[in-house]
Every structure is written in structure tokens, then in C-alpha cells.
Amino acid sequence: MMKYIRPYYDYYNGPVTDVNSPDLVCRTSDMNPKNTDTRDVSAGATVGLIFKADDLPGSMVFDPRHVGPCLVYMAPMSSNGKGDVWFKIFEQGYNLDTGKWCSDHVIAADGQLDVTIPADIADGEYLLRGEIITLQNALDIGGAQFYANCVQIRVSGGGSATPSGVRIPGVYKKDHPGIHFDVYETITGYTIPGPTVYVADNAGSSKDDNDDVDFTSDTDHDSDTTAESESSSASGKEQDGYDEVPSESESDTSSDPGSERPGYSHHHCPKAYRKR
């Protein structure tokens, strides 16, 4: 399960809360790839990221009070995540029509978040960084929780695009309206932090053909890009139409005094599925 994920401090580690911490990259300062294998992925393929507490039947995906946006980035592996190298390939925030966050849809899909690898990016090895920012404590500056992990992938069948990137840490500000945010008041809009989502020139081939759930965001953005995602339920085992891919995304819902249920803790087991 941990075969393709950059090592992090502890299987049960908590979130990063400092937007300037080097841990924000992959939720660890240990960026040594020596014990991490690289997974083959086709350009334009749909990858299902799984955020779950465990693989036990009927178990809670994660605490539903941990609400917030989902973001996915890529960077050339040769950069080791350093410099202006991270380009965003997916974002989903808050839907005004349904009153649902991306995290709610991840829970409803049994922990799965489908994202598409851009069809036109250059072949090569990349870090794929999946992230959920939970905002249950974000009324206070410094209260947002960043759950991210990075998986090593090898992309083939792509084009020649080399999208411009941003720096992590550095892309987020602690007082950004999408990070310092009150989820308990009536929400009239939400600004997703970070850069514009990169859209492949061959956009048609990078669309997901799974229309089970359409939760196009009605939120505000730092850019004009509105991301669309379709989710399918997935268990901890291989399912029809998917190949299991250990995910970069691992989410921990450790208890926080004053905001969490006493003695209530969830630790999210990373997995993913590559759509066939």
C-alpha cells in the first residue's frame, strides 16, 4: 500500500497547519525517493484517489465534520518538489446549489476522488500530490488543516506540454479567504486557494467518461477555471473497471481539542485506482 508514496513521518501522522512549512509539499520533510517505487500511468487516464480511515467494510470514510476543498497537483520528479514546479490539475470546492463540499462528495463516493492526468503533458516521471484542506477550525488563522501526500508516477503516451508551476510552500497564504474561512456561517461563495487549473490542449481526451456523479463547483476561484469531477464508489479492494494504484493521498482526522469528538480519531489509509 505504501509502495509508491514518498515516505512521511508516521502512518498515523496528523495534518500540516503551517502554510510555510516544508512539510506542506508531501506532508513530510523527508523527500528521499530511495524507498519509493514509480507507478506507470497513461496520459489522459483517470486516477481514483482514495481517502479512507481503513478498509474495513462499513467503516466511516472520515469524520464528516472535516469539510473543505480537494486539490491535486503535479511536478516533474526531477525537481523533487522544489521551485516553481507544481501545476494544478484538479480542484473542487463548495457547491452553492447543493451545499456540499468536495470532502462531502469524497465521503459519498466511499472515499474516492477521480482526477484525470492531462492528456498532453510530456512523458516522464512526476510527483502527483493529492490534498484535502479541512476548514472545521479555519475560523482562526492557522486553523486550516492540510492533508497531502505524493505518489511517484511515470506518464507515457502524452504530448509535449510542460505547464508552468508554482512553489510549495509559498503558494498558500494563511489569511487567504479560502484558508481563513468560517464554515459555520451562511456560505455565499468560496475561493479555492492556489493557481489556475491546467487544462490540456486536447481537453476532450482528458475528460472523465464516468457521469455517475456530477458536482461541478459553483464556487469562486483565484482563476476563471471551474473544475468538474465525477466520482465512483470504491472499496479497499480492486473493483471492476479499475486497477489498484497506491495513492498519494492520505488523510488523518485526529482529534483537535474543542472541535473534535473526545476520543474520536480516524487515520486515512491511502489507496487509489486507475481507470481501465
Side-chain angles (χ1 to χ4, degrees), residues 16 19 47-48 52 55 60 77 86 94 112 132 158 178 201 215 223-224 271:
V16 174
V19 297
V47 176
K52 296 195 75 171
D55 290 333
M60 182 182 290
M77 198 188 302
W86 293 98
Y94 182 81
Q112 180 162 321
I132 291 181
D201 287 340
F215 55 102
S223 67
D224 294 331
K271 279 183 179 283

Side-chain angles (χ1 to χ4, degrees), residues 4-6 25-26 31 36 38-42 45-51 71-77 79 81 85-90 113-118 121 124-131 148-155 168 245-250 271-274:
Y4 304 99
I5 299 174
R6 282 294 174 94
V25 182
C26 299
M31 291 295 289
T36 307
T38 302
R39 176 73 184 199
D40 290 320
V41 176
S42 298
T46 295
V47 176
L49 308 182
I50 301 295
F51 297 81
L71 309 93
V72 182
Y73 295 79
M74 292 178 66
M77 198 188 302
S79 70
V85 294
W86 293 98
F87 56 98
K88 187 192 288 183
I89 65 168
F90 176 89
L113 176 67
D114 285 350
V115 298
T116 301
I117 305 300
I121 62 170
E125 295 181 336
Y126 291 86
L127 292 171
L128 179 66
R129 177 185 183 272
E131 174 180 49
N149 280 117
C150 300
V151 66
Q152 296 185 176
I153 63 173
R154 182 181 298 108
V155 176
I168 300 176
V245 181
S247 167
E248 80 283 12
S249 304
E250 184 264 351
K271 279 183 179 283
Y273 293 81
R274 176 171 56 82

